[in-house]
Protein backbone atom coordinates (compact mmCIF):
# COMPACT_ATOMS: atom_id res chain seq x y z
CA UNK A 1 0.00 0.00 0.00
CA UNK A 2 1.26 3.41 -0.97
CA UNK A 3 0.69 6.29 1.46
CA UNK A 4 0.47 9.63 -0.33
CA UNK A 5 0.40 12.87 1.62
CA UNK A 6 1.01 15.43 -1.11
CA UNK A 7 -1.59 16.62 -3.62
CA UNK A 8 1.03 16.89 -6.36
CA UNK A 9 2.17 13.29 -5.83
CA UNK A 10 -1.43 12.07 -5.97
CA UNK A 11 -1.98 13.93 -9.25
CA UNK A 12 1.13 12.37 -10.78
CA UNK A 13 0.04 8.92 -9.53
CA UNK A 14 -3.45 9.41 -10.98
CA UNK A 15 -2.16 10.23 -14.45
CA UNK A 16 -0.29 6.94 -14.54
CA UNK A 17 -3.44 4.98 -13.66
CA UNK A 18 -5.66 6.46 -16.35
CA UNK A 19 -6.95 3.12 -17.58
CA UNK A 20 -7.69 1.43 -14.26
CA UNK A 21 -11.12 1.14 -12.70
CA UNK A 22 -10.64 3.19 -9.57
CA UNK A 23 -12.82 2.81 -6.47
CA UNK A 24 -12.68 5.56 -3.87
CA UNK A 25 -13.67 5.59 -0.19
CA UNK A 26 -13.41 9.01 1.49
CA UNK A 27 -13.24 8.90 5.31
CA UNK A 28 -12.20 10.90 8.35
CA UNK A 29 -10.33 7.92 9.79
CA UNK A 30 -10.81 6.18 13.15
CA UNK A 31 -11.78 3.29 10.91
CA UNK A 32 -14.29 0.66 11.97
CA UNK A 33 -16.23 -2.17 10.33
CA UNK A 34 -18.54 0.38 8.67
CA UNK A 35 -15.64 1.97 6.78
CA UNK A 36 -14.14 -1.45 6.10
CA UNK A 37 -17.37 -2.66 4.50
CA UNK A 38 -17.10 0.22 1.99
CA UNK A 39 -13.45 -0.63 1.31
CA UNK A 40 -14.26 -4.32 0.80
CA UNK A 41 -17.04 -3.45 -1.63
CA UNK A 42 -14.64 -1.23 -3.58
CA UNK A 43 -12.00 -4.00 -3.50
CA UNK A 44 -14.49 -6.43 -5.01
CA UNK A 45 -15.52 -4.27 -7.95
CA UNK A 46 -12.49 -2.13 -8.79
CA UNK A 47 -8.94 -2.84 -9.86
CA UNK A 48 -7.49 -0.02 -7.76
CA UNK A 49 -8.79 1.15 -4.38
CA UNK A 50 -8.04 4.59 -3.00
CA UNK A 51 -9.00 5.55 0.57
CA UNK A 52 -8.64 9.06 1.91
CA UNK A 53 -8.30 9.92 5.57
CA UNK A 54 -8.79 13.60 6.25
CA UNK A 55 -10.47 15.16 9.28
CA UNK A 56 -12.07 17.98 7.33
CA UNK A 57 -12.09 21.19 9.42
CA UNK A 58 -14.62 22.80 7.08
CA UNK A 59 -17.43 20.48 8.16
CA UNK A 60 -17.07 21.13 11.90
CA UNK A 61 -18.60 24.20 13.54
CA UNK A 62 -16.45 26.00 16.16
CA UNK A 63 -18.43 24.30 18.99
CA UNK A 64 -17.90 20.78 17.61
CA UNK A 65 -15.30 18.10 18.25
CA UNK A 66 -12.63 18.84 15.58
CA UNK A 67 -9.66 18.94 17.96
CA UNK A 68 -10.70 15.86 19.93
CA UNK A 69 -11.84 13.83 16.90
CA UNK A 70 -9.99 10.47 17.18
CA UNK A 71 -6.90 10.10 14.96
CA UNK A 72 -5.45 6.59 15.43
CA UNK A 73 -3.05 6.99 12.49
CA UNK A 74 -1.03 3.76 12.78
CA UNK A 75 -3.95 1.41 13.35
CA UNK A 76 -5.90 3.05 10.48
CA UNK A 77 -2.94 2.44 8.17
CA UNK A 78 -2.76 -1.18 9.30
CA UNK A 79 -6.49 -1.73 8.72
CA UNK A 80 -6.20 -0.28 5.21
CA UNK A 81 -3.20 -2.44 4.45
CA UNK A 82 -5.04 -5.57 5.64
CA UNK A 83 -8.11 -4.64 3.56
CA UNK A 84 -6.03 -4.49 0.38
CA UNK A 85 -6.09 -0.73 -0.18
CA UNK A 86 -3.73 0.37 -2.97
CA UNK A 87 -3.38 4.05 -2.12
CA UNK A 88 -4.04 5.81 1.19
CA UNK A 89 -4.29 9.54 0.66
CA UNK A 90 -3.79 11.62 3.83
CA UNK A 91 -3.34 15.28 2.92
CA UNK A 92 -2.49 17.91 5.51
CA UNK A 93 -5.00 20.61 6.33
CA UNK A 94 -2.43 23.26 5.43
CA UNK A 95 -1.98 21.94 1.91
CA UNK A 96 -5.62 21.07 1.36
CA UNK A 97 -6.87 24.48 2.47
CA UNK A 98 -4.05 26.97 1.92
CA UNK A 99 -4.41 30.42 3.50
CA UNK A 100 -5.95 31.97 0.38
CA UNK A 101 -8.52 29.18 -0.11
CA UNK A 102 -11.88 30.77 -0.98
CA UNK A 103 -14.04 28.37 -2.99
CA UNK A 104 -16.89 26.30 -1.61
CA UNK A 105 -19.56 24.05 -3.10
CA UNK A 106 -23.09 24.23 -1.76
CA UNK A 107 -26.11 22.05 -2.52
CA UNK A 108 -28.91 24.41 -1.60
CA UNK A 109 -32.22 22.79 -0.75
CA UNK A 110 -31.28 19.24 0.24
CA UNK A 111 -28.68 20.54 2.70
CA UNK A 112 -31.12 22.67 4.65
CA UNK A 113 -33.36 20.19 6.44
CA UNK A 114 -32.61 17.78 9.34
CA UNK A 115 -28.83 17.78 9.79
CA UNK A 116 -28.71 21.18 8.11
CA UNK A 117 -30.98 22.68 10.77
CA UNK A 118 -28.72 21.59 13.60
CA UNK A 119 -25.40 21.93 11.73
CA UNK A 120 -25.97 24.85 9.30
CA UNK A 121 -22.47 24.90 7.78
CA UNK A 122 -21.84 21.15 7.86
CA UNK A 123 -22.88 20.07 4.38
CA UNK A 124 -21.10 22.92 2.64
CA UNK A 125 -17.93 21.62 4.28
CA UNK A 126 -18.72 18.08 3.18
CA UNK A 127 -19.56 18.96 -0.43
CA UNK A 128 -16.49 21.14 -0.73
CA UNK A 129 -14.10 18.46 0.54
CA UNK A 130 -15.75 15.71 -1.50
CA UNK A 131 -15.61 17.82 -4.68
CA UNK A 132 -11.90 18.46 -4.16
CA UNK A 133 -11.25 14.78 -3.46
CA UNK A 134 -13.25 13.67 -6.52
CA UNK A 135 -11.31 16.13 -8.72
CA UNK A 136 -8.04 14.67 -7.42
CA UNK A 137 -8.83 10.95 -7.40
CA UNK A 138 -11.22 10.95 -10.40
CA UNK A 139 -12.70 7.59 -9.34
CA UNK A 140 -15.02 5.50 -11.50
CA UNK A 141 -16.94 4.55 -8.36
CA UNK A 142 -17.21 6.30 -5.00
CA UNK A 143 -18.50 4.49 -1.95
CA UNK A 144 -20.64 6.14 0.73
CA UNK A 145 -22.50 4.69 3.72
CA UNK A 146 -26.26 4.79 4.15
CA UNK A 147 -25.45 5.61 7.79
CA UNK A 148 -25.15 9.26 6.70
CA UNK A 149 -28.25 9.15 4.52
CA UNK A 150 -28.72 12.87 3.99
CA UNK A 151 -25.02 13.23 3.15
CA UNK A 152 -25.40 10.47 0.56
CA UNK A 153 -28.36 12.23 -1.09
CA UNK A 154 -26.59 15.60 -1.02
CA UNK A 155 -23.49 14.12 -2.66
CA UNK A 156 -25.53 12.24 -5.27
CA UNK A 157 -27.29 15.46 -6.16
CA UNK A 158 -24.04 17.40 -6.31
CA UNK A 159 -22.44 14.82 -8.61
CA UNK A 160 -25.49 14.99 -10.88
CA UNK A 161 -25.69 18.81 -10.88
CA UNK A 162 -21.98 19.26 -11.57
CA UNK A 163 -21.72 16.35 -14.05
CA UNK A 164 -18.94 14.75 -12.05
CA UNK A 165 -18.15 11.46 -13.78
CA UNK A 166 -18.31 8.98 -10.91
CA UNK A 167 -20.90 6.46 -9.79
CA UNK A 168 -22.01 6.93 -6.19
CA UNK A 169 -22.45 3.52 -4.57
CA UNK A 170 -24.64 3.31 -1.47
CA UNK A 171 -23.45 0.79 1.14
CA UNK A 172 -25.67 -0.54 3.95
CA UNK A 173 -25.24 0.60 7.54
CA UNK A 174 -23.13 -1.75 9.64
CA UNK A 175 -24.40 -2.16 13.21
CA UNK A 176 -23.35 -3.64 16.53
CA UNK A 177 -25.23 -6.82 17.48
CA UNK A 178 -27.66 -4.75 19.60
CA UNK A 179 -28.49 -2.47 16.66
CA UNK A 180 -26.31 0.58 17.37
CA UNK A 181 -24.94 1.92 14.07
CA UNK A 182 -21.15 1.92 14.08
CA UNK A 183 -19.67 5.40 14.28
CA UNK A 184 -16.26 6.84 15.08
CA UNK A 185 -18.05 8.91 17.72
CA UNK A 186 -19.31 5.83 19.62
CA UNK A 187 -15.94 5.67 21.35
CA UNK A 188 -16.84 8.85 23.26
CA UNK A 189 -19.73 7.05 25.00
CA UNK A 190 -19.39 6.03 28.67
CA UNK A 191 -20.69 2.61 29.66
CA UNK A 192 -23.99 4.07 30.79
CA UNK A 193 -24.32 6.26 27.69
CA UNK A 194 -23.57 3.24 25.51
CA UNK A 195 -26.65 1.54 27.00
CA UNK A 196 -28.78 4.61 26.17
CA UNK A 197 -27.35 4.80 22.65
CA UNK A 198 -29.35 1.83 21.35
CA UNK A 199 -32.54 3.85 21.87
CA UNK A 200 -32.40 5.46 18.43
CA UNK A 201 -32.15 2.22 16.47
CA UNK A 202 -34.82 0.65 18.68
CA UNK A 203 -37.20 3.53 17.92
CA UNK A 204 -36.43 3.53 14.19
CA UNK A 205 -36.87 -0.23 13.94
CA UNK A 206 -40.22 0.04 15.71
CA UNK A 207 -41.22 2.69 13.15
CA UNK A 208 -40.22 0.42 10.27
CA UNK A 209 -42.20 -2.46 11.81
CA UNK A 210 -45.35 -0.38 12.13
CA UNK A 211 -45.08 0.63 8.45
CA UNK A 212 -44.65 -3.04 7.55
CA UNK A 213 -47.83 -3.77 9.47
CA UNK A 214 -49.74 -1.22 7.43
CA UNK A 215 -49.52 1.98 9.46
CA UNK A 216 -49.39 4.97 7.10
CA UNK A 217 -50.16 7.85 9.46
CA UNK A 218 -46.80 9.59 9.82
CA UNK A 219 -47.78 11.53 12.95
CA UNK A 220 -48.73 8.31 14.73
CA UNK A 221 -45.50 6.59 13.70
CA UNK A 222 -43.45 9.57 14.88
CA UNK A 223 -45.33 9.70 18.20
CA UNK A 224 -44.68 6.03 18.91
CA UNK A 225 -40.98 6.38 18.07
CA UNK A 226 -40.76 9.44 20.32
CA UNK A 227 -42.39 7.52 23.18
CA UNK A 228 -39.70 4.85 22.93
CA UNK A 229 -36.92 7.40 23.05
CA UNK A 230 -38.48 9.16 26.03
CA UNK A 231 -38.15 5.94 28.04
CA UNK A 232 -34.37 6.35 27.92
CA UNK A 233 -33.27 8.96 30.46
CA UNK A 234 -30.40 11.15 29.32
CA UNK A 235 -31.40 11.04 25.66
CA UNK A 236 -32.33 14.36 24.05
CA UNK A 237 -34.10 14.17 20.70
CA UNK A 238 -32.92 16.64 18.05
CA UNK A 239 -35.20 15.35 15.31
CA UNK A 240 -37.13 12.21 14.56
CA UNK A 241 -39.14 11.98 11.37
CA UNK A 242 -40.54 9.92 8.53
CA UNK A 243 -39.86 11.56 5.19
CA UNK A 244 -39.64 10.99 1.46
CA UNK A 245 -36.55 8.88 0.71
CA UNK A 246 -35.51 11.03 -2.28
CA UNK A 247 -36.34 14.59 -1.28
CA UNK A 248 -36.32 14.27 2.54
CA UNK A 249 -39.49 16.34 2.66
CA UNK A 250 -42.06 15.58 5.36
CA UNK A 251 -45.15 13.59 4.50
CA UNK A 252 -48.61 13.32 6.04
CA UNK A 253 -48.88 9.67 4.97
CA UNK A 254 -46.39 6.95 4.14
CA UNK A 255 -46.31 6.42 0.40
CA UNK A 256 -43.63 4.69 -1.68
CA UNK A 257 -40.09 4.63 -0.33
CA UNK A 258 -39.61 6.56 2.90
CA UNK A 259 -36.71 7.06 5.24
CA UNK A 260 -37.01 7.29 9.01
CA UNK A 261 -34.34 9.69 10.24
CA UNK A 262 -33.26 10.63 13.72
CA UNK A 263 -30.61 12.49 15.67
CA UNK A 264 -30.13 12.37 19.43
CA UNK A 265 -27.76 13.89 21.92
CA UNK A 266 -26.47 11.86 24.86
CA UNK A 267 -24.36 14.09 27.07
CA UNK A 268 -21.93 15.69 24.65
CA UNK A 269 -22.21 12.90 22.09
CA UNK A 270 -24.42 13.40 19.05
CA UNK A 271 -25.66 10.30 17.22
CA UNK A 272 -27.58 9.98 13.96
CA UNK A 273 -29.22 7.00 12.31
CA UNK A 274 -31.84 6.16 9.71
CA UNK A 275 -33.77 3.23 8.23
CA UNK A 276 -35.58 2.81 4.93
CA UNK A 277 -39.10 1.46 4.62
CA UNK A 278 -41.64 0.94 1.87
CA UNK A 279 -45.24 2.06 2.13
CA UNK A 280 -48.16 1.29 -0.15
P1 LIG B 1 -16.70 9.24 8.23
O1 LIG B 1 -15.32 8.75 8.48
O2 LIG B 1 -17.58 9.24 9.44
O3 LIG B 1 -16.73 10.54 7.46
O4 LIG B 1 -17.39 8.16 7.25
C1 LIG B 1 -16.80 7.81 6.03
C2 LIG B 1 -17.77 6.96 5.26
O5 LIG B 1 -18.08 5.78 6.00
C3 LIG B 1 -19.11 7.68 4.97
O6 LIG B 1 -19.54 7.36 3.67
C4 LIG B 1 -20.02 7.07 6.01
O7 LIG B 1 -21.39 7.09 5.65
C5 LIG B 1 -19.50 5.64 6.08
N1 LIG B 1 -19.89 5.00 7.34
C6 LIG B 1 -19.70 5.48 8.60
N2 LIG B 1 -20.26 4.64 9.50
C7 LIG B 1 -20.82 3.63 8.80
C8 LIG B 1 -21.55 2.46 9.15
N3 LIG B 1 -21.82 2.15 10.41
N4 LIG B 1 -21.97 1.63 8.17
C9 LIG B 1 -21.68 1.92 6.86
N5 LIG B 1 -21.01 3.01 6.47
C10 LIG B 1 -20.57 3.85 7.42
Amino acid sequence: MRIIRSIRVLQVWRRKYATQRIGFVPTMGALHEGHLSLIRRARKHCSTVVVSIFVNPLQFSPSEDLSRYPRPVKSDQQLCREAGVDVLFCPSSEEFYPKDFQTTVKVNRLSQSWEGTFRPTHFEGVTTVVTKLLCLVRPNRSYFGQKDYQQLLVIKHMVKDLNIDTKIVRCSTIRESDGLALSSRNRYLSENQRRQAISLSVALRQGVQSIKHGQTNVQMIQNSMQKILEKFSGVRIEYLAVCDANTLSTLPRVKGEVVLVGAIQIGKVRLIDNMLAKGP
Side-chain angles (χ1 to χ4, degrees), residues 146 149 200 203-211 221-222 225 239-245 248 254 258-262 273-278:
Q146 187 194 317
Y149 190 78
L200 184 53
L204 293 171
R205 188 161 295 134
Q206 156 69 32
V208 171
Q209 280 307 321
S210 67
I211 293 171
I221 300 165
Q222 287 175 180
M225 292 196 296
Y239 61 82
L240 193 59
V242 180
C243 46
D244 182 279
L248 297 183
V254 175
V258 293
V259 62
L260 292 74
V261 292
D273 198 356
N274 67 85
M275 290 184 194
L276 289 162
K278 256 210 171 75

Side-chain angles (χ1 to χ4, degrees), residues 25-38 54 59 69 143-149 151-152 155 171-175 180-185:
V25 182
T27 81
M28 298 208 298
L31 302 180
H32 51 63
E33 274 300 314
H35 300 110
L36 293 176
S37 71
L38 272 55
F54 180 59
Q59 70 190 69
Y69 198 84
Y143 295 81
F144 289 88
Q146 187 194 317
K147 160 76 171 46
D148 300 280
Y149 190 78
Q151 168 176 288
L152 177 82
I155 287 168
C171 303
S172 314
T173 303
I174 305 296
R175 299 176 181 280
L180 175 67
L182 297 192
S183 162
S184 306
R185 290 187 167 98

Side-chain angles (χ1 to χ4, degrees), residues 211 214-218 221 242-247 249-259 277-280:
I211 293 171
Q215 178 60 271
T216 59
N217 183 319
V218 163
I221 300 165
V242 180
C243 46
D244 182 279
N246 294 309
T247 62
S249 48
T250 48
L251 302 162
R253 295 212 153 263
V254 175
K255 197 169 179 289
E257 198 172 24
V258 293
V259 62
K278 256 210 171 75

